[in-house]
Amino acid sequence: MVLRQGDDVFASLEALMRDEQIASASIRGLGFVRTARFGYFDFARGDYDPREFADLEITGLTGTLAWKDAKPAIHAHATGAGRDFQAVGGHVLGLVVGRGSFEMTVNVYNQRLERRFEEDIGANVLQLE
Amino acid sequence: MVLRQGDDVFASLEALMRDEQIASASIRGLGFVRTARFGYFDFARGDYDPREFADLEITGLTGTLAWKDAKPAIHAHATGAGRDFQAVGGHVLGLVVGRGSFEMTVNVYNQRLERRFEEDIGANVLQLE
Amino acid sequence: MVLRQGDDVFASLEALMRDEQIASASIRGLGFVRTARFGYFDFARGDYDPREFADLEITGLTGTLAWKDAKPAIHAHATGAGRDFQAVGGHVLGLVVGRGSFEMTVNVYNQRLERRFEEDIGANVLQLE
């Protein structure tokens, strides 16, 4: 999948999952983003502390596509770097493609995978047989 | 493969290799780790200088599974980031899953791959035909 | 593909593309490099601002192999870290393998992919159907 300037990476992946009825997939990607929103989980608060970065070369995105309550559930982490080449990264909350493009490889699997909230862990966990 | 809090990533991969008789594989992963031990090779000393990091989101792990002297030989590198989103990384000496989970994709190949110590390079090198 | 000390990663990939007539592929890799040349695109100037790093563990390389004007067109991003484990990264302009080896996984696809310069974006973009 090749995204272009202004595209929202997660919205594009969700549309792909619905259109192609993707049961589950592994994804990876690289490209230039105008904004990257990363999060670091605060277990006390039960939510991600967000931080936004502008104009990053995403040097590596990796993730999984699954479903939760019949809706697409995307889990992705990424690393990126700006003009100073110092890398930053985290759990991806959102990415908007910048000038140029963003290339993704989606390895589709036939087995439908679901995420489920596991009380004891306090997180949505991918369920395998 | 989905690992959970407290799991040792390498021990889990080694068990998978033995149980499923995996001839060779490429792996990648993402998740939250309680401890990450990275190493940087000191060729003078012939060993890795280790450094341990706590509570990292692993933003990308990539590696290969092979065999050496009939034992699993895992080679993996990873990048991660903590609360400040500044990325660190290196050769992986060990990872223990933190609160939450760690997701890995294992692409299995039929060809058995071995690592062998190459004297002139001074390192264990994956042997291809 | 396993490269060794002194090998040029892009030259090796280009030779592989020609020898094996690879229509397109996704690549990923890890290993130790003597020199990594990363670039950050300056849209005003229309070229990459380069920066060279020495003796890096590449903690993750990801990219795509395609063709442009009948010549191999490699697009790769990478993250790496040196002795201090602080990660750096960017668009890859060049990599030379250091002492040890560099392991790459090449997932080959049958569909030939081309890059084409898109005037409005000002960049070479991978063309999918």
Side-chain angles (χ1 to χ4, degrees):
Chain A
M1 182 163 73
V2 176
L3 304 179
R4 285 173 174 75
Q5 198 167 348
D7 286 345
D8 179 295
V9 173
F10 276 16
S12 303
L13 283 170
E14 286 174 10
L16 184 78
M17 287 177 71
R18 291 186 202 273
D19 293 351
E20 308 279 339
Q21 283 299 304
I22 291 175
S24 63
S26 289
I27 57 171
R28 51 202 160 115
L30 69 155
F32 186 66
V33 296
R34 179 196 300 166
T35 53
R37 243 165 34 100
F38 294 138
Y40 187 85
F41 205 73
D42 178 340
F43 277 98
R45 205 164 57 81
D47 202 359
Y48 288 94
D49 292 329
R51 177 91 66 92
E52 195 163 306
F53 296 89
D55 295 336
L56 282 191
E57 285 279 15
I58 294 297
T59 56
L61 174 145
T62 182
T64 49
L65 306 185
W67 298 83
K68 181 165 194 293
D69 306 331
K71 286 190 288 200
I74 300 170
H75 184 206
H77 286 192
T79 316
R83 191 175 304 278
D84 65 358
F85 302 99
Q86 299 305 306
V88 294
H91 174 99
V92 178
L93 296 174
L95 295 173
V96 179
V97 181
R99 204 164 154 183
S101 65
F102 196 89
E103 301 172 7
M104 302 204 71
T105 300
V106 181
N107 291 110
V108 177
Y109 307 118
N110 292 323
Q111 191 190 357
R112 186 172 172 105
L113 294 181
E114 306 270 344
R115 287 183 185 286
R116 200 170 57 216
F117 187 79
E118 297 190 2
E119 204 67 55
D120 55 332
I121 292 179
N124 287 312
V125 178
L126 193 62
Q127 307 294 314
L128 301 183
E129 302 310 283
Chain B
M1 183 164 72
V2 176
L3 304 179
R4 284 172 175 76
Q5 198 168 349
D7 286 345
D8 179 296
V9 173
F10 277 17
S12 303
L13 284 170
E14 286 174 12
L16 184 78
M17 286 177 72
R18 291 187 203 273
D19 293 351
E20 308 280 339
Q21 283 299 305
I22 291 175
S24 63
S26 288
I27 57 171
R28 52 202 159 116
L30 70 155
F32 186 66
V33 295
R34 179 196 301 166
T35 54
R37 239 162 41 96
F38 294 137
Y40 187 85
F41 205 73
D42 178 340
F43 277 97
R45 206 163 57 80
D47 203 359
Y48 287 94
D49 292 331
R51 177 90 66 92
E52 196 163 305
F53 296 88
D55 296 336
L56 281 191
E57 285 280 14
I58 294 296
T59 56
L61 173 145
T62 182
T64 50
L65 305 184
W67 298 82
K68 182 165 194 293
D69 306 332
K71 286 190 286 200
I74 301 170
H75 184 207
H77 286 192
T79 316
R83 190 176 304 280
D84 64 359
F85 302 99
Q86 299 304 306
V88 294
H91 173 98
V92 178
L93 296 174
L95 295 173
V96 178
V97 181
R99 203 163 155 183
S101 64
F102 196 89
E103 301 173 7
M104 302 203 70
T105 300
V106 181
N107 291 110
V108 177
Y109 307 118
N110 292 324
Q111 190 191 359
R112 187 173 171 105
L113 294 182
E114 305 271 345
R115 288 183 184 286
R116 200 169 59 215
F117 187 79
E118 297 190 2
E119 204 68 53
D120 56 332
I121 292 179
N124 287 312
V125 179
L126 193 62
Q127 306 295 313
L128 301 183
E129 302 309 285
Chain C
M1 183 163 71
V2 176
L3 304 179
R4 285 172 173 76
Q5 197 167 349
D7 286 344
D8 179 295
V9 173
F10 277 16
S12 303
L13 284 170
E14 286 173 12
L16 184 78
M17 287 177 72
R18 291 186 202 273
D19 293 352
E20 308 279 339
Q21 284 298 307
I22 291 175
S24 63
S26 288
I27 57 171
R28 54 204 158 114
L30 70 155
F32 186 66
V33 296
R34 180 196 300 166
T35 53
R37 241 163 38 97
F38 293 137
Y40 187 85
F41 205 73
D42 179 340
F43 277 98
R45 205 163 57 80
D47 202 359
Y48 287 95
D49 292 331
R51 176 91 66 91
E52 195 163 306
F53 296 88
D55 295 336
L56 281 192
E57 285 281 14
I58 294 297
T59 56
L61 173 145
T62 183
T64 49
L65 305 184
W67 298 83
K68 180 165 194 293
D69 305 331
K71 287 191 288 199
I74 301 170
H75 184 206
H77 286 192
T79 316
R83 190 176 305 279
D84 64 358
F85 302 100
Q86 299 303 306
V88 294
H91 174 99
V92 179
L93 297 174
L95 294 172
V96 178
V97 181
R99 204 163 153 184
S101 64
F102 196 90
E103 302 173 7
M104 302 203 70
T105 299
V106 181
N107 291 110
V108 177
Y109 307 118
N110 292 323
Q111 190 191 357
R112 188 173 169 104
L113 294 182
E114 306 270 345
R115 286 182 185 286
R116 200 170 58 216
F117 187 79
E118 297 190 1
E119 203 69 53
D120 55 331
I121 292 180
N124 287 311
V125 179
L126 192 62
Q127 306 294 314
L128 301 183
E129 302 310 284

